[in-house]
Each structure stands twice: as C-alpha cells, then as structure tokens.
Amino acid sequence: MNKQLESVGEKIKEHSNLLAENTAKILSAEISPSFSNSCDALPENWLELYFQSIGDFLCNCRYTAQRNIFTCADIFGQRAVAFEVPLDKSIYFFVHSRTVIFDFLFEEIDSLKITAKTILHAIKTINNLIDQATIAFSIHYKKSFSSAKYALAESFEDLKITLKELDDLKNALNETTIFSITDKNDNIIYTNEKFCDITKYTKEELLGQNHGRILNSGFHSEEFFRNVRETIQKGRVWKGEIMNKAKDGTFYWVDTTIIPFLDSEGKAYQHIAIQNDITEQKRTEELLHKTEKLSLVGELAAGIAHEIRNPLTTIKGFVRLLCQAADNRNLPYSDIILGEIDRINQIVSEFMVFAKPHTIAFSKCNVSSIMSSVIHLLNAEAALKNIIITHQFSSENLYIFGEKHQLKQVFLNLLKNAIEAMPDGGNIHVTIKTQDNKISIYIQDDGVGMSEEQIRKLGEPFYTTKETGTGLGLMVSYKIIQSHKGTIQVRSEKGCGTSFTITFPALLENPSIGESYKVK
C-alpha cells in the first residue's frame, strides 16, 4: 500500500501548481486579490510549496514536508493578521485547500489505479496534516489577540471587537467540530451541541459527569486511558481514535485531539477535546476487511468444489458401469454409494454459495413447521447434555417466502451453537411471533455468553468461539438470512446467556410456487 500511497503523493506534487492556482482564486475572491501574492519578506509560490509538501509527506519525506507545511501555515498566519482578516474567514482557507485537493484526487482516482483502502489512508493522512497546519496557523491569532487585548485595554469599543473575534472562533469550533472542555479530574464543564447530538445526552445530563466513565464503551483497555491521562498531565497534546458509547447504547468512533491548558507552574488544570465523527469511515474499513476475507473464501470454495466434483463424477460413472456389467442386477450397496455421492454433490453445491451467485428455488415455507422439525431432531442430543428445549409459537401457520432446506440449516446451526454453549446443561427457549408484517424468531439460551468484541466479530470468515469450530457456520447462516431479506441481531453478556433475534418479511400473498432467482 506504501507504493500506492507514494503514487498519490507524486500525483499531488506533479499538479501542485494547479492546486495552488485553484486555491489562490478562492483567496482572491473571498479575502483580497493580492492576498496570495508573494512579497519581499515571504517566499515565492508559498501556496505551491504547501501542496508540494503534502505530496512529499505521502512520499515518506515526512520531516522536511511537515516543516514546510508549518512554514506555509506560518506565512498564511502572518498575511491573515497583516490583512486583518477575520478569524472565521481565515479558517476557511484550510477548508478550501482540503476541498481542492480531495476534488483533485477524486478526478484522478481512475488514473491512479489504487485500492479504496489506500484512498482512505491518504484522506486520513491529509486530514491530519491540514488539522496540524490549522493549529500552527492559529498561533498567530493567539499572539494577535494577546497583543490586541493589551493594546485595546484603553478603548472599550476596540475591546468589544476583540471579544467578537473570540466569539467567532468559538462559533467556528462549534459549527465544525465535536467540542468539550473538562477539568483536571476529567469532569465535563462545557460541551457544544454537536457533542450532545452524538452522545444522545443533554447538556444538563453531561455537565459535572466524568467524561471517561459516562461514555466508556468498554472497547479500550485501562492501559489505553492511563496513557491518555499521562500524556495530558505532562502538558502534551494527545491524538488518537476512541470508540465511545452513547446514551442509547449505540457505539461511535471519534478522531480526537486533546489539548491541555497549563497553569503558571506548568500543570494541566483543564483540557479541551476537539473531535470528528469517523464512525462511517470505520464501518467502511471493516466492510473492506470482510470483503477481502469473503473473496478468499470464494476462491477456496471454487477450488475445493472443482477438485471434489471431478473424482466424484468418475466414481459415479464406474459404479453405474459395474451395475450394467452385472446384467442389470444391483450390486450390493450400489444404491447407497450412488445416494451418498449425490449427497456430497449437494453439500459441495451449498458450499459454492461463497464462490458465485447461484439459482435457488424459493417457495412458501412454514417457519413454525421447519422449526418444530429441527427441535424434534435435536431433542435427543439436548437430553444427553441435560438441556431442555422449549418453544412457543404464536401460530402453527407462519409463512415466509424462502428455501426450506436453507432455513433448516440456519435453525440447526443456531440451536446447535446454543447447546454447545451450555456444557453443564440448561434451558433453550424458542419463540416465534408475528408483528407489523414481519415474523420474528427468538432463540435464547442460558449459556456462557459472549463479550461485546466477540459479538462484533460474529459472521466473519473463520471466526469461531469454539475449540473445534471452523468459523463458517454462522457466516453461512448470516448469508442465508440476508438472501431471504431478513435481519439478525445478537444480545449477550458473559455468564448470562445469549439471545438471537431473526426477522423475516411475512408472506402476505402466495408467490408462484418454485419461483427462483439468483442469490448474491
């Protein structure tokens, strides 16, 4: 991926002049026609140097590139202060430069021939660079504000202007970031509206609460948070990604920068957290990861199917020849051999669900009847392990449009997993209800339960919580449920059992029996 990232950097460097020209047009229109021009005290083509350095950073010339980017931010800060440009308008330079470079990348994405993962990495790297440049730029306004505050102490009107600029800074932060301030004990003393929106708490519920406790998702270790606290207490800025838990129980990811405020003794007395929501980005990365695994499984399935079917065809052919050679008299066990060969072929065909889309026949299926047959099938095994399976159906005639063998495979898989999760015995309760044109199936056990991390990984290729598991059973089940336009939800807690909820669209009208279509 480093080579691909370098190719992105080279492309940016190659067109740095064009990117500089596009940005200069925006500066000229919104600030001043002469704003982006060079002068005796400043290097020429500083805008071109800015984009050139971003390209150099992606090409691994990181130290020099970062220094040049900060130099450009310093140049822009000097010019903005000299031209008396309002802070909110100045900050939009970094917004515009980000837009210009991303628009360029999306236009050039076909010619670059790079993966989506590389694009995400490049975007994240460029975002971090521009954020750092913004912080470096803001130092000039901090100095300017300090000087202005001292100089304008004699003039009440001038002081009001300075306060307005500070208010503009606050407004800019409130509009563009998730923003909060906490004291030295990490208790929240200020939050903006975006912070409340993402956490689902009101300001009244948040103020005075410990930031780390009220939003703790359980994903990060105590060592992780200890490192964050130690960094801040030493007066250093901490940057990283954090997964938090909102009031409604949902999880979200934020790219976080925590800046400590130091007293005269150099000790942190409070700190400000500036965050950006990256939940969708994380989901995209996870989807890419799962897609790569699925691709691997597909290739494996195709290879296995091919290698198994060829000798099976040969064996089946010779068994039939032997039957014919025996003057049409059935050889001992020939029917059993041929039947088992057909069964192996069917298993291989089901395994091919990973390799490519295939046609299956969907028809009217009685979910209650299918589940009853599965429970009856597993009752003996459950009894041997001191497990009782009970069930409650709202009706014996609950229909969906599907393929009964695949549905049976899903129910078998989930019930067998429930049995194996209770080595010391227990109870499994199966409930089927219908509501709002949907049929919901609940399978609840008293087993060992799972952690949040284990639940998130369910359905991934080769992931299993069992010693002898393959990690493919639940993956097949998830794919079957998806092909039936259904959903599956999992709730579990260590030591408190697990509950699976499967929901299918109820069958309201009779479809054409035997209707078939491709399942992707």
Side-chain angles (χ1 to χ4, degrees):
M1 187 174 73
N2 288 336
K3 291 291 184 183
Q4 294 185 354
L5 196 61
E6 288 178 14
S7 70
V8 175
E10 291 295 339
K11 201 74 174 178
I12 293 172
K13 287 163 62 178
E14 181 183 344
H15 293 82
S16 58
N17 184 41
L18 173 64
L19 297 171
E21 287 178 1
N22 291 340
T23 308
K25 291 177 183 176
I26 296 172
L27 293 177
S28 297
E30 295 194 8
I31 298 179
S32 169
S34 59
F35 184 87
S36 57
N37 296 339
S38 60
C39 66
D40 295 338
L42 301 173
E44 293 185 2
N45 300 324
W46 63 275
L47 272 175
E48 186 174 348
L49 175 63
Y50 174 78
F51 290 104
Q52 183 89 19
S53 300
I54 291 175
D56 283 335
F57 191 94
L58 296 177
C59 294
N60 283 327
C61 303
R62 299 202 165 186
Y63 177 77
T64 303
Q66 196 169 39
R67 186 179 60 190
N68 287 337
I69 290 170
F70 286 167
T71 299
C72 294
D74 185 65
I75 291 169
F76 179 71
Q78 293 176 42
R79 306 230 72 183
V81 171
F83 276 72
E84 298 182 350
V85 180
L87 178 60
D88 56 342
K89 186 174 287 189
S90 298
I91 286 178
Y92 277 109
F93 160 74
F94 297 99
V95 176
H96 291 318
S97 66
R98 197 190 313 253
T99 302
V100 166
I101 200 167
F102 287 168
D103 286 347
F104 168 76
L105 284 179
F106 286 124
E107 288 175 2
E108 296 292 325
I109 192 168
D110 291 333
S111 61
L112 286 171
K113 295 181 180 178
I114 57 177
T115 64
K117 192 172 183 180
T118 302
I119 282 292
L120 286 173
H121 190 186
I123 289 173
K124 182 177 178 182
T125 303
I126 294 169
N127 267 329
N128 286 337
L129 281 174
I130 295 177
D131 287 343
Q132 291 173 28
T134 306
I135 293 171
F137 152 79
S138 65
I139 292 173
H140 288 280
Y141 272 87
K142 183 179 179 182
K143 292 177 180 177
S144 175
F145 290 159
S146 299
S147 301
K149 184 176 179 181
Y150 178 80
L152 298 175
E154 301 174 357
S155 171
F156 180 71
E157 286 300 320
D158 290 343
L159 181 58
K160 285 200 298 184
I161 295 172
T162 302
L163 292 174
K164 183 182 183 305
E165 290 180 338
L166 289 172
D167 191 54
D168 289 341
L169 173 59
K170 176 185 173 183
N171 291 336
L173 286 171
N174 281 334
E175 288 297 322
T176 58
T177 63
I178 300 163
F179 184 78
S180 65
I181 301 176
T182 54
D183 62 18
K184 62 181 180 181
N185 297 318
D186 205 26
N187 295 322
I188 300 171
I189 58 178
Y190 174 82
T191 65
N192 68 349
E193 289 299 327
K194 286 186 178 292
F195 190 93
C196 296
D197 290 343
I198 196 169
T199 63
K200 307 294 193 299
Y201 287 100
T202 64
K203 283 190 178 183
E204 291 73 19
E205 291 173 320
L206 289 167
L207 294 180
Q209 296 291 330
N210 185 276
H211 188 288
R213 282 197 291 269
I214 194 171
L215 301 176
N216 192 343
S217 64
F219 179 80
H220 304 285
S221 65
E222 181 56 36
E223 183 181 355
F224 173 86
F225 289 111
R226 191 183 306 117
N227 173 261
V228 175
R229 288 192 295 269
E230 288 176 356
T231 301
I232 297 169
Q233 288 167 3
K234 291 177 182 177
R236 299 202 301 263
V237 175
W238 184 89
K239 295 182 179 181
E241 297 175 349
I242 300 177
M243 186 174 82
N244 287 331
K245 185 178 182 179
K247 182 181 179 179
D248 62 359
T250 58
F251 297 94
Y252 64 92
W253 280 90
V254 282
D255 184 41
T256 305
T257 300
I258 303 177
I259 306 165
F261 290 174
L262 308 180
D263 58 20
S264 57
E265 297 178 356
K267 295 181 179 179
Y269 65 91
Q270 66 182 29
H271 53 269
I272 178 174
I274 301 173
Q275 301 174 321
N276 291 296
D277 186 3
I278 57 169
T279 307
E280 286 303 318
Q281 178 183 323
K282 282 289 185 180
R283 287 174 181 165
T284 303
E285 290 173 358
E286 184 180 354
L287 181 61
L288 286 170
H289 181 62
K290 286 186 176 180
T291 301
E292 289 173 0
K293 282 190 175 182
L294 281 170
S295 177
L296 175 63
V297 174
E299 292 176 11
L300 179 65
I304 290 175
H306 176 74
E307 295 302 325
I308 291 176
R309 277 176 166 166
N310 284 345
L312 279 179
T313 303
T314 304
I315 294 170
K316 189 173 183 179
F318 275 105
V319 169
R320 286 176 173 169
L321 284 175
L322 287 172
C323 290
Q324 292 175 3
D327 296 330
N328 293 323
R329 289 177 299 168
N330 287 335
L331 292 177
Y333 309 115
S334 61
D335 291 339
I336 296 175
I337 295 171
L338 291 172
E340 290 302 301
I341 289 173
D342 288 337
R343 194 163 72 90
I344 294 173
N345 259 323
Q346 184 180 357
I347 293 170
V348 171
S349 297
E350 290 179 359
F351 195 47
M352 284 293 288
V353 72
F354 295 115
K356 63 179 182 179
H358 63 290
T359 301
I360 55 176
F362 273 30
S363 59
K364 182 178 179 181
C365 296
N366 188 332
V367 177
S368 303
S369 174
I370 296 171
M371 180 63 79
S372 294
S373 67
V374 172
I375 293 173
H376 180 73
L377 186 66
L378 292 176
N379 266 332
E381 180 182 349
L384 289 173
K385 298 183 178 180
N386 197 28
I387 294 170
I388 299 173
I389 303 177
T390 60
H391 66 274
Q392 182 179 358
F393 304 157
S394 63
S395 170
E396 294 298 323
N397 298 300
L398 298 174
Y399 295 95
I400 69 168
F401 189 48
E403 206 286 314
K404 65 178 181 179
H405 296 294
Q406 289 193 344
L407 293 172
K408 189 173 184 179
Q409 183 178 354
V410 171
F411 299 154
L412 268 171
N413 201 342
L414 294 178
L415 284 173
K416 282 182 70 67
N417 285 349
I419 291 171
E420 291 170 2
M422 294 187 288
D424 300 323
N427 296 288
I428 299 173
H429 189 64
V430 180
T431 306
I432 304 180
K433 298 179 180 178
T434 179
Q435 186 178 8
D436 298 331
N437 298 329
K438 292 184 182 297
I439 293 177
S440 297
I441 303 158
Y442 306 89
I443 301 175
Q444 187 167 2
D445 64 60
D446 301 331
V448 295
M450 295 179 287
S451 65
E452 291 286 348
E453 184 177 359
Q454 288 175 318
I455 293 173
R456 281 194 296 272
K457 291 184 178 180
L458 289 180
E460 289 187 5
F462 309 116
Y463 177 76
T464 180
T465 58
K466 298 181 288 188
E467 292 182 3
T468 58
T470 63
L472 292 175
L474 268 182
M475 181 183 171
V476 173
S477 298
Y478 273 54
K479 194 168 183 68
I480 290 172
I481 292 169
Q482 183 184 10
S483 71
H484 283 69
K485 300 180 181 178
T487 61
I488 182 167
Q489 294 179 331
V490 187
R491 292 185 180 275
S492 186
E493 189 176 339
K494 279 285 188 180
C496 297
T498 302
S499 175
F500 281 84
T501 303
I502 309 165
T503 304
F504 295 114
L507 186 62
L508 302 178
E509 298 178 3
N510 288 328
S512 300
I513 301 302
E515 182 178 342
S516 54
Y517 62 90
K518 280 192 175 182
V519 176
K520 296 183 179 179

